Amino acid sequence: MSGGMLYGGDEIGALVFDPGHHSLRVGYAQEDTPKAEIPAVVGVAPDEAIKLEAESKPDDSNVSSQSQHKYYIDTTFLHTPRVNMELHSYMKDGMIENWDMFEKILDYSYDKIIQSESHYHPVLFSESPWNQRQKRERLTELMFEKYKVPAFFLVKNAVLAAFATGRATALVIDSGATHTSAVPVLDGYVISNAVVKSPLGGDYLILRAREMLEQMGIDLTPAALIASKDVVRDKDKPRFVKKKLSFQPSNSWMTYMVKKTVQDFQQSVLQVSESQYDERVVSNIPSVHYEFPTGYHQDFGTERFKLAEGLFDHAMLGAGYIAATSAGMCDVDIRPALYSSVVLTGGNSLVQGFSDRLSRDLSVRTPSSARLKMIAANGSVERRFGSWVGGSILAAIGTFQQMWMSMQEYQESGKSQIDRKCP
Amino acid sequence: MADVRDIMELDRPGTPEITRETILGTDKPKKKFTPGTKISKRPEGMHREVFALLYNDNKDVPPLFPSDTGGNGYKQTKIKLGMRRPRKWEWMAFTNPARSDNATFYHWRRPSDDAKEYPFAKFNKKVDVPTYTDVEYQQHLTSDTWTKEETDHLMDLAQQFDLRFIIIADRYDTQKFSKRSVEDLKERYYKINGILAKLNGEKKIYTYDADHERRRKEQLKKLYDRTPEQIEEEQFLISELKKIEARKKERERKTQDLQKLISQADIQNDTPRKTDKKIPKKKLSNPRPSRVDTSYILQAVETAGIKFPDYKNSGVSLRSQRMKLPANIGQKKSKAIEQSLQEMGLELNPTATEDICQHFNELRSDMVLLMEIKSALETCEYDLQSLRHQYEALAPGKTLIIPAQLTNSEQENKINTGEIIDVVGSPGTPLNT
């Protein structure tokens, strides 16, 4: 403790969970990156199937009714085709929807990633700014009742993202998988009436990219199904051999894998043009070469920009628009403070040129007297795990240790207390 | 420090630097700084860094073969970082006095710090939100627009969010109560606060001017909501206003100039010198002339002479006052005038009749003019000469032949002055002398 006062940190072995549509981030507080990023989908297969990976089966002895199902969690197990394995997402609209599956994920996290018992570690969870009261209570109940955590806390992920950049007041633009949201944060509190979100996120981009690639007649067979491939010339028909499977992989698995394939394409090829999409300007920018898992490869020129433009060209849903709208809904007194720290976070904001375009769009819409400053972490880890990093910082701060909702408090006043403790 | 001195090529200080000890006088006299070593001078042109490599501190010749210095030889002695055993850190439970529930958490800590209170607890600060009883509310705090329930809700939120009214307004229970603006909430809160403070007999009571705040916010909103066109228009108008103001100033200045000129003209009408009118005031503050440009000299000549002040409007005065030299005539000039007057055999203070007054003034004015012309001529000549030298220096072998009429001679000088005087002199008055 002697050195602790210097930087205000006091680590108490807390865990930070940051659930999202793309993945769940898990790790110890005070570390700079999460221990693991677990995809937010769970593979479910009937248990009568041949046991391929014994260790993948989480210990579900305490939930007897689930015993006829096998659950597959984490990238390695998900990316293997399995008989009758259907993939489900447990998230919906930024909130946890399927609690059984979420429990499986939590079991897996404690078991395989944290590798420690849950009753030793206080837990800090992030949540979306529009999380419902009943869901928050349910999560509280789950953590205290099932996992017996000594203390629990819930923070809005936008607040955490602002904390990650060292700010308590910020306009957080979070562009994630399923949506992009603009959340004003004042002194660590979300102004919930001024939250604006649009459904244009990473998944939307992937969808558009997939449509385009399919129109172009490009085979999107995922790498997991390809046994071998030959080198072919540019734009030549790919020559590859598919893996011999005795069964037909489920549709949901195929969709997920194709999505992963397109996601890789999206991440390495797409770019947002600096200003409004203009074919002539964009055609001068060098094209990018990309090779698909099948071995097919070609250059992508204007398509890169055309696709990415989808995030911005919409009149009402573009990132710049929602940011300006959100700030405009706040009290006039705090608007300058919000404009002067616009925090950009979320994995989708890593699309090339995203931040430049956003600051450009936003500067058009901000009052000329306001100083606009955009804060976007440079590293992809910091950007993707912005909320987690903020949580990691918060949970390891000495003055925060009085905020936890402890087991004692839970036992005294029940789960409804969470709304008051974690506003 | 020594390195810096080296770089600056300063000698080492003879006296030790001033330290706390030397000031207090507690320090034992320090050993003189290496008195035995001669500081050999660095050869000219040798780099400082190279020189530093050549010699070591005591200027000893390095040993030719390895010599054992005894003790540990080349093995370095281990640094002894304190002889005590390291203090332990332990993962131990602690309670946080800032918490009301005595929950225990674990963290790494030195057992020696055990007795101490959790150090972050002191940062736990809460805003004092006043409380009231039912009776108090009924007696003093009732309001037409606020029910007790809603007031309770407001106070509760104020406590929870530490008076962050923007957040309070955001989290306000709008299902139970109608939506309220930040100003409404603040107004109610501070009113209650004020009333309760008064009940408690406090002297200082804060009031909140909600209407003023509303107006201020309204204006701020309007300011922010301006469209780019409006902003542009405003900018345009501002710049136009500036232009208009500048023009107005210019005009005022011009009228002032004109007035001056008119009043000057009035003086000139009295005295026969009108030439000043030709040159506007502005030109007097001429920009610095170039060396060859002689126009400034001519100008100086043209405006030279003595301007006698106008006594017309100053009521009754002695006529002899008109012959008084103005104050702006320097000591040197007045001396010179005196001298030449004596040479001419004139009185220094003649009887001030109308004619004498006028002519005497003119005479003296012309005297000054002559002097100035002379000095101007000298300047010109000097310029001419220096130009000739320059020319010859630049083009060796050639000599610049200056035309005879340009070189100075007494005769020409006289003609020149005569001409200039002729030019300057106004018609209607006889040429002086």
Side-chain angles (χ1 to χ4, degrees):
Chain A
M1 271 326 300
S2 47
M5 288 306 286
L6 257 180
Y7 57 95
D10 183 22
E11 202 260 324
I12 60 162
L15 296 177
V16 179
F17 289 82
D18 177 26
H21 269 276
H22 179 256
S23 59
L24 167 75
R25 277 73 67 174
V26 191
Y28 279 102
Q30 212 181 38
E31 290 181 2
D32 54 2
T33 43
K35 277 258 179 289
E37 188 194 13
I38 309 165
V41 286
V42 178
V44 185
D47 206 17
E48 58 262 25
I50 314 127
K51 285 185 177 161
L52 290 165
E53 325 275 345
E55 72 270 23
S56 72
K57 188 187 173 188
D59 183 20
D60 49 15
S61 53
N62 51 349
V63 195
S64 54
S65 62
Q66 301 287 323
S67 59
Q68 64 262 42
H69 289 305
K70 234 169 106 71
Y71 292 92
Y72 297 94
I73 291 160
D74 216 347
T75 320
T76 340
F77 299 111
L78 287 174
H79 284 203
T80 323
R82 286 167 212 280
V83 183
N84 290 332
M85 182 174 75
E86 294 280 353
L87 299 189
H88 300 282
S89 171
Y90 55 81
M91 300 286 289
K92 195 188 168 197
D93 200 20
M95 293 174 281
I96 300 159
E97 182 75 11
N98 189 327
W99 292 89
D100 291 338
M101 284 184 198
F102 188 65
E103 269 179 54
K104 300 285 172 230
I105 292 263
L106 286 182
D107 286 337
Y108 173 86
S109 316
Y110 276 116
D111 233 37
K112 292 282 187 295
I113 289 152
I114 301 300
Q115 301 187 359
S116 172
E117 281 165 65
S118 56
H119 63 266
Y120 288 131
H121 306 285
V123 167
L124 182 116
F125 249 91
S126 80
E127 57 172 354
S128 67
W130 48 88
N131 203 3
Q132 293 154 0
R133 187 184 177 131
Q134 139 249 339
K135 296 207 183 218
R136 313 178 79 202
E137 287 179 4
R138 178 146 191 194
L139 183 63
T140 314
E141 196 175 8
L142 175 72
M143 294 316 288
F144 279 120
E145 297 289 345
K146 187 181 172 195
Y147 295 98
K148 309 264 185 278
V149 293
F152 178 70
F153 204 73
L154 258 175
V155 199
K156 312 264 188 256
N157 49 23
V159 175
L160 293 181
F163 285 166
T165 57
R167 265 150 238 266
T169 301
L171 179 62
V172 180
I173 317 288
D174 183 350
S175 189
T178 49
H179 54 255
T180 299
S181 62
V183 184
V185 176
L186 176 70
D187 290 342
Y189 295 103
V190 165
I191 299 177
S192 49
N193 288 327
V195 173
V196 182
K197 56 174 179 159
S198 89
L200 305 183
D203 286 355
Y204 169 76
L205 268 194
I206 291 172
L207 192 76
R208 296 242 322 212
R210 186 179 163 176
E211 274 171 10
M212 187 202 77
L213 293 174
E214 276 170 355
Q215 256 174 31
M216 289 167 81
I218 293 168
D219 192 340
L220 293 173
T221 310
L225 291 181
I226 290 166
S228 69
K229 59 182 174 185
D230 290 335
V231 177
V232 290
R233 282 220 313 267
D234 207 26
K235 288 193 174 180
D236 270 3
K237 210 174 136 46
R239 290 194 302 275
F240 63 99
V241 183
K242 269 199 182 183
K243 269 188 191 156
K244 296 241 176 344
L245 292 176
S246 57
F247 57 91
Q248 181 66 32
S250 69
N251 268 340
S252 58
W253 186 82
M254 274 308 284
T255 318
Y256 179 72
M257 291 315 288
V258 169
K259 187 176 152 187
K260 288 277 149 197
T261 312
V262 181
Q263 187 181 19
D264 184 65
F265 165 80
Q266 178 241 44
Q267 282 168 355
S268 33
V269 172
L270 292 204
Q271 184 174 351
V272 185
S273 61
E274 253 170 56
S275 53
Q276 201 91 40
Y277 175 78
D278 184 351
E279 184 110 26
R280 275 165 304 160
V281 177
V282 155
S283 57
N284 293 329
I285 297 170
S287 52
V288 166
H289 194 78
Y290 184 77
E291 181 178 326
F292 290 90
T294 55
Y296 176 84
H297 55 98
Q298 76 159 82
D299 281 346
F300 290 91
T302 53
E303 299 95 332
R304 309 165 52 202
F305 296 94
K306 216 182 215 160
L307 281 173
E309 190 67 15
L311 288 175
F312 287 93
D313 62 356
H314 199 287
M316 299 291 282
L317 300 173
Y321 179 82
I322 62 163
T325 314
S326 170
M329 283 159 80
C330 294
D331 195 278
V332 272
D333 281 348
I334 62 163
R335 277 184 220 170
L338 293 179
Y339 281 126
S340 65
S341 61
V342 178
V343 171
L344 183 60
T345 186
N348 189 46
S349 69
L350 284 169
V351 178
Q352 259 191 69
F354 189 102
S355 60
D356 295 338
R357 177 65 180 277
L358 177 58
S359 74
R360 196 190 153 95
D361 274 17
L362 201 49
S363 66
V364 176
R365 289 172 212 276
T366 45
S368 55
S369 52
R371 192 178 64 99
L372 181 68
K373 189 177 179 205
M374 192 125 112
I375 302 128
N378 284 327
S380 71
V381 172
E382 285 85 349
R383 194 85 72 81
R384 288 176 61 205
F385 307 140
S387 310
W388 189 90
V389 171
S392 166
I393 294 169
L394 182 66
I397 283 181
T399 44
F400 174 73
Q401 310 308 348
Q402 67 181 69
M403 308 284 289
W404 296 102
M405 178 179 180
S406 67
M407 186 58 129
Q408 288 97 313
E409 278 171 321
Y410 174 75
Q411 279 162 351
E412 275 163 30
S413 25
K415 59 186 177 183
S416 56
Q417 184 77 351
I418 194 77
D419 232 28
R420 201 178 166 79
K421 288 291 277 187
C422 319
Chain B
M1 191 59 209
D3 203 38
V4 174
R5 289 195 158 278
D6 236 19
I7 290 166
M8 304 292 287
E9 306 202 0
L10 294 171
D11 281 333
R12 306 247 168 162
T15 50
E17 281 165 45
I18 296 165
T19 60
R20 194 167 154 269
E21 278 75 22
T22 55
I23 294 167
L24 292 173
T26 53
D27 197 21
K28 284 166 256 160
K30 265 194 179 171
K31 271 184 259 169
K32 270 271 176 274
F33 185 79
T34 56
T37 54
K38 284 169 275 166
I39 297 159
S40 51
K41 204 80 182 121
R42 175 157 60 93
E44 198 73 24
M46 185 184 244
H47 283 290
R48 187 181 62 81
E49 292 86 350
V50 180
F51 181 67
L53 286 177
L54 272 181
Y55 286 86
N56 58 5
D57 283 346
N58 352 318
K59 313 293 176 215
D60 266 345
V61 185
L64 289 174
F65 51 88
S67 61
D68 195 359
T69 48
N72 291 317
Y74 287 107
K75 190 175 164 239
Q76 290 205 328
T77 3
K78 262 193 182 168
I79 306 166
K80 284 173 185 157
L81 287 172
M83 299 300 285
R84 283 180 300 146
R85 292 164 61 83
R87 285 177 298 158
K88 270 189 183 148
W89 288 88
E90 264 179 57
W91 181 253
M92 54 205 294
F94 71 98
T95 51
N96 188 344
R99 296 185 67 94
S100 54
D101 61 346
N102 281 325
T104 49
F105 296 117
Y106 290 82
H107 65 175
W108 286 106
R109 188 167 38 144
R110 290 221 153 100
S112 55
D113 292 341
D114 211 7
K116 285 179 198 158
E117 191 184 56
Y118 187 60
F120 296 102
K122 67 179 172 196
F123 296 114
N124 184 30
K125 300 284 183 234
K126 279 275 169 195
V127 177
D128 257 345
V129 173
T131 50
Y132 46 80
T133 60
D134 280 355
V135 181
E136 273 177 327
Y137 186 86
Q138 292 305 330
Q139 280 178 350
H140 307 284
L141 304 173
T142 45
S143 158
D144 297 338
T145 47
W146 289 76
T147 61
K148 172 146 197 310
E149 206 185 2
E150 195 175 359
T151 312
D152 288 347
H153 180 57
L154 167 68
M155 299 313 261
D156 182 41
L157 286 176
Q159 178 72 59
Q160 194 185 350
F161 296 110
D162 295 329
L163 303 185
R164 289 181 178 88
F165 282 98
I166 290 167
I167 305 289
I168 294 173
D170 179 59
R171 305 295 165 89
Y172 209 69
D173 194 343
T174 44
Q175 282 175 341
K176 253 195 216 162
F177 315 108
S178 59
K179 200 166 166 55
R180 302 233 183 217
S181 71
V182 176
E183 288 74 35
D184 290 341
L185 299 174
K186 275 191 183 173
E187 190 176 24
R188 177 67 175 158
Y189 175 81
Y190 286 113
K191 197 172 249 170
I192 289 172
N193 209 354
I195 291 169
L196 289 175
K198 205 183 265 176
L199 287 178
N200 290 339
E202 273 173 47
K203 291 274 170 332
K204 216 170 179 185
I205 287 157
Y206 298 102
T207 47
Y208 176 75
D209 189 351
D211 276 337
H212 177 264
E213 278 292 288
R214 277 189 205 107
R215 282 197 302 275
R216 183 182 70 81
K217 285 226 174 128
E218 195 54 44
Q219 284 183 339
L220 202 56
K221 208 173 262 166
K222 274 182 192 156
L223 182 72
Y224 280 137
D225 289 349
R226 285 177 306 170
T227 59
E229 290 82 44
Q230 282 169 325
I231 292 167
E232 216 164 84
E233 194 186 331
E234 193 191 305
Q235 292 289 343
F236 175 72
L237 286 177
I238 286 172
S239 68
E240 285 297 296
L241 181 70
K242 270 187 189 150
K243 265 187 220 162
I244 289 169
E245 268 170 5
R247 252 181 249 145
K248 197 174 150 198
K249 255 187 202 155
E250 175 78 17
R251 214 163 37 233
E252 270 169 16
R253 210 173 47 77
K254 272 187 182 157
T255 31
Q256 268 180 6
D257 278 0
L258 199 64
Q259 223 116 45
K260 253 185 214 162
L261 283 176
I262 289 166
S263 58
Q264 263 173 23
D266 286 347
I267 308 164
Q268 302 292 320
N269 283 341
D270 278 7
T271 50
R273 306 206 147 270
K274 286 183 193 164
T275 42
D276 286 343
K277 227 186 327 190
K278 286 178 198 160
I279 296 107
K281 263 262 146 58
K282 251 200 296 188
K283 278 199 176 169
L284 282 176
S285 57
N286 220 22
R288 282 180 70 83
S290 65
R291 274 192 52 189
V292 213
D293 185 17
T294 51
S295 62
Y296 70 102
I297 299 166
L298 281 177
Q299 223 169 59
V301 166
E302 278 174 40
T303 56
I306 307 167
K307 271 182 232 93
F308 288 93
D310 189 8
Y311 286 101
K312 219 162 46 176
N313 304 324
S314 53
V316 185
S317 65
L318 290 172
R319 198 186 282 133
S320 61
Q321 280 288 301
R322 294 192 203 169
M323 296 197 311
K324 220 177 150 199
L325 283 171
N328 61 346
I329 301 296
Q331 194 87 36
K332 215 170 137 193
K333 275 183 188 167
S334 51
K335 272 269 156 57
I337 290 170
E338 236 171 74
Q339 205 182 347
S340 39
L341 282 176
Q342 275 167 355
E343 274 170 26
M344 289 175 195
L346 288 172
E347 268 181 86
L348 288 181
N349 286 313
T351 319
T353 64
E354 183 95 327
D355 275 356
I356 291 174
C357 222
Q358 191 184 339
H359 285 120
F360 188 62
N361 278 354
E362 270 175 32
L363 169 67
R364 286 186 302 178
S365 182
D366 286 340
M367 277 174 178
V368 173
L369 185 62
L370 177 66
M371 279 186 270
E372 275 166 5
I373 286 167
K374 269 185 182 165
S375 71
L377 181 70
E378 264 166 41
T379 321
C380 287
E381 220 176 299
Y382 176 78
D383 280 351
L384 189 67
Q385 287 299 326
S386 64
L387 276 175
R388 189 169 68 91
H389 286 302
Q390 261 181 26
Y391 175 80
E392 279 167 11
L394 285 172
K398 286 185 195 168
T399 46
L400 184 72
I401 296 139
I402 295 164
Q405 64 264 37
L406 280 181
T407 50
N408 184 22
S409 67
E410 282 305 304
Q411 198 186 1
E412 249 152 358
N413 194 8
K414 268 175 203 159
I415 293 166
N416 275 349
T417 45
E419 273 168 5
I420 290 165
I421 288 163
D422 199 26
V423 168
V424 172
S426 50
T429 42
L431 266 179
N432 198 291
T433 60

